[in-house]
Amino acid sequence: MRNSGIENFSENYYITYSHNQVNEPSSSMSVKNNASRLAREPLIERSPIDFNVVVDTSQLTVDFGKCKSVLNNQPASFTIDTKENVGPNDIRVVITSPSGHHIQPKIINTQTNLSRIEYTPTEIGEYYIDIFFANQLVKGSPFKCNVFDPSKIKMMPTFSGFVDQLVKFEVDASQAGTGQLEIAVENGRIPCTFSNQGNLRFIPCFTPREPGKHEISVKFNNHDVPGSPFFCNIVDLSRLTIPDINQPYSVYKTNVIELNSSDLNNNDITLKLTSPSGMQVPISRSITPYNTLKVTFQPVEIGSHRLEVTYDGIDISGSPFEIKVYDASKIVVSEIKGSEVNKPCEFTIDAGNAGEGQLEIAINDGLIKNQVKQIRPGQYAVSFLPTKQDTYVIDVRFNDEQVPECPKRIFVRDFNSARLSRQIDDSQAIGEQAWFSLSGIYDINELEVKVKSPTGQEFIPKIQKINQEDCRIEWIPYELGSYSVLANYHGNIIKGMPFKIKTFDPKRVQVYNINDGLVFKSNMFCVDASQAGEGSLEIGISCNGQYIPNQVKPIGNSKFEVHFLPQEAVIHYANISFNSIPVKNSPFAIKIIDTNLVIAQGKALTSAIVNSTSSFEILTGNAGGGSLRATITGPKGENIPLKLNQQTNGDYTCEYTPYSVGSYRIDVLYSNQPISGSPFYVKVFDPQSVEITNLPTELNIETASLIEVDLRKAGNVNFDVKITSPTGIDVPVDIEGQGLKQIHFTPKEYGSYRISVLIDEQNLNGTPLYLNCTDAVLPSAHGDGLLHGIEDKPAYFFVDSQGLKGNLEVNIEGPQHFTKNVIERQLDGSYMVKYTPVEVGLFKIYIKWNGKEINGSPFVSYVLNPEKVKIVGGWQSILDYNNCLNLKLYEEKTIDFDTTDAGPGTLSCSILAPGNTKLPFKLDNQGCLYTLNFSALYEGEYKIHLLWDNHVLPNTPITARTTHLSDLNRVEISGYGIHEAKINQETDFIVDGSRAGDLHGLPEIRFTGTRCDIDVRLHQIGQNIYRCSYTPQIPGAYLLSIKWNERQIGDSPYKVNIGMNSDPSKVIVSGEGIKMGVIGQDIKALIDTRRAGPGELTAHCMGPQKVAFCEFFDHKDGTFTLFVKPQESGKHVLQIKYNDEHVPGSPFIIKIVGPPDATKVKVMGPGICYGVLNNYKSKFICETKGAGAGQLTVRIRGPKGAFRVEMQRESQKDRTIYCKFDPTEAGDYQINVKWSGQHVPGSPFNVHIFNTDEELEHFLRSNPEAAYAVQQQQIQNQLIS
């Protein structure tokens, strides 16, 4: 062995040597060292050391790559490969922690030459791992392992920052061990730098360039540290702006400032408002639906306020802002001096104490120019020159807010302006008020008016002051002729004076000779206007609202004949006026009739039955409303009474009764003119006098038959006979004779023939007749079974063969089924037939002999079942617990029977009173329902016997007894259940008969509804006291009937409303549809019933005159959309109910307005006209009255783009919108005004603003059309300055 040397690493000594041959004899070496990592005691004591060299460790491989850096408290491992030619022998591993402690590793031999070393470090720092193989230190030992712990890193993140500003946070890695710290912002897209603070403490920083959440990741040796990644919200403060911050704000009023903060967290915005005196002004803040911040404040000082706005402690751009506060109420406007035309009017304005702002002065909305001169700072003298008599309105505004006592009004007079403003007509009716009016009259005492009548009388008319400058002169003329009127003011005759008027009297026009007329025949009447004075006579003839031609023929002395030819059978009106005033009684109604349109119809116009009332109709239709008259003449010329009944539609029904056989005449006149077909001739006969004198009892096959009918006493009648064979074929008949009719026919079929004798197409009384056609000799049948039977009991009948030979065939057909029968031959040659019916009803028994039906076949047997006769309500409803019927003396007892299922029959009854005397009773029936009524006349026991078609009913006779009187009026009924209930909830009520005396049995309770009945349960809780309970399943209206001893008690029957188990108060109605809407358009409302429980939702909407259509759309989740379509404008009342109860807010009042109509919007003002920049008045108004519901939008584009438009109105209900914009340079401006998306008339308005007045004047001179437009705007519009 060769000593290679000694290396010193700190206090450790490593001795290296080489051995030339494996398995060489043992060698020894002495080592001196005072401290060693390999053993706790000094090796020097054991030196010299003897050891054996057995392996070559250079061939060993240690895979230590994953253990160079590991996590603290986490398992770590590495492998040792001893190669194939060397066994693992003895592997020993010594692991030393940073504190010098040894860790015992776990050595696992996974394969023959491969071992895995596992250990778990528990300290942060550098570990030394010594590996021995066969007591030899493996090459590379000691291996170093760096142990770290990212959870020991402390991070203080920053969660917010600002665009373009440095963002910093802190990271402390002093306790985490050795490793690499990685920081990435937005996955490295944003550069991040950091400064080293010493002792492994760092401050990373980065500068964001855009707003939003930024992800920051911090890793240590590629492991996330606690709190990583985290997000830093970056805010762009440049987006936080305050529009209109420079506008003035009014003192003592609530002012609003809105911050555009939609992308920011409004909670991080801090505002502070300081008054001029240094006091802090309270502010309130709220979030708008657009997520902007709305700030309201109410200043109490005039002057500049300081508004500081910070976001997360940093001032936004422009902060602090200057807020100017003013007080328009401090402005004083003096009284106006001057009130005459063409003389200046002057007043002063003192705005010295109002604060900063813009003062605006407008005379008559800017139509009158004014001059303003500053007297001293804040004080001004204003004057204007009125040029005409008028009321002048002086409006002074400060910062667009009206100042106190404004607008002021002053009336400027023109004392030379008296004139005739309304002259009376040249013609005036007598007795009607005549008047005219004068303008420019300010002093009525200086006015003198005289009127001179046609007879020369002068009088002073009534003078009435209308307003400050107008008056009305009136009088009533009573003479025909010419009146003269003269007026002077301040001694001067008023222009237009004197003037004359002529009077007339339309009441003196006479109209006569007006009579009803006929269609297509000339009609004439006369008009006399000779006493009416001068004037024009106007005559018009109208029908159905249309005028028809007429001819007016003068006959002298102002008298006329009027002719016209009517074309329709309607009332014509003569409209006659004199000087456009209707004459007395005009219009005059003239009836025009058309007899051809009157129609008489009915069988009684051709034939009638003696001693019977007959009737016919007269249809007047459109005949013209004339008078109707009808008469009837008998066979001997006598008058027969006739009754005329006019119907609601104007037609007539005529009735008469003939009392003898013969020919009658009917005359019908309409306005004294016979109608079409008049006179009518009627044959009157007597069907009771018709006799069938020869009628065979039966018919024989193929044998001629004769029937005779005597008509000699019946009168002249229409006679016919119809005979129908058993198979429904009409049998040919031959009728001979006049008064005595002989009917000949020959039957060809067996069976029953139907013979109908027809008198005037109606069956003679007693017909049709039925005759059976058979052979001359056939077997016969007899027995009770042919006539009747009882259900489920055998019935019998017999067939006598008459000694004939042949085959008997019997078939029995029931109402629903065929019934089996058994035929047994008897010793005498006859047959007994037995059958058992299993249903009730009519049974047809067909009996054939040798294939031919015998006489009487088919026989009809009535099968019944008395056991199916039922008492309505059941036997228990009338009997007590002893099966006895309780009666009260002299009180009527009613028992109802239902025989629907009992089969054909008749119910009969007998009642035996005490002493076996018969008790009177009344038994009525309506179809299958019978009602038995009787009253007990004696005390004691009664027996009621009942039979159905002579068969005794089960449970009869009924025993009945009289009882002592009880006072049912003292029975008390109480409880919630007699009035209302909810489905699926048990409800009860109490029937208390404890104070009613002697009561027998139980209360009889019936609970009935339209859809179902409800069972009521009785529980006795005391003597004659019962608790009645029920549980309804279906909602609706029900009747609760409570009887005791067969009498209704209390207020029975009660009406009980069964409602849904719901709570209408939890129904939520929302949407604009419950506030307002537009006519003809659906308005919507969302209804949420999910919390209200099951129920029925209804809606009804009523307008001023019409019902609005309502429709629900079911979303299938408990919510509904209600569509309401109004048909008229005005207030609508919408009722929304849930289970017939109003929901919260119902009834709703909805205002319905007309649809938007952009054509009704008017735009006017100087802001839509040409002008000059330095004095341009950019105001204009938009009048939307009459345009319906809609939204006004105003867009203005100038030379360099869009302009902001200020829009306001005095109140929400005001339909006038004031608009204003602020042009900053000359050029073309386009003003787009739309109402609900549609351009209003004139829009878009193209306006050019010039730099100088000379440019504008030059433009108007070269463009006459533009000049004319400007002039029209100034004349027609109410302009706003």
Side-chain angles (χ1 to χ4, degrees), residues 1073-1074 1083 1085 1087 1096-1112 1122-1126 1128 1131-1138 1140-1143 1145-1150:
I1074 58 177
I1083 55 180
I1087 304 175
E1096 181 182 15
L1097 186 65
T1098 59
H1100 180 268
C1101 187
M1102 185 66 199
Q1105 300 292 334
K1106 301 177 182 178
V1107 176
F1109 176 71
C1110 298
E1111 182 179 14
F1112 286 109
L1122 171 61
F1123 296 90
V1124 182
K1125 190 166 187 177
E1128 59 182 333
K1131 184 176 73 173
H1132 283 57
V1133 179
L1134 172 63
Q1135 294 183 345
I1136 301 178
K1137 294 183 177 181
Y1138 199 64
D1140 290 329
E1141 292 186 30
H1142 283 285
V1143 304
S1146 178
F1148 301 92
I1149 305 301
I1150 307 175

Side-chain angles (χ1 to χ4, degrees), residues 604-643:
L605 291 170
T606 56
S607 63
I609 299 175
V610 70
N611 295 323
S612 296
T613 300
S614 300
S615 65
F616 60 92
E617 292 181 323
I618 301 176
L619 309 180
T620 58
N622 298 320
S627 60
L628 180 71
R629 186 165 61 91
T631 59
I632 301 181
T633 306
K636 298 179 181 180
E638 72 275 20
N639 290 327
I640 305 299
L642 177 68
K643 184 178 180 181

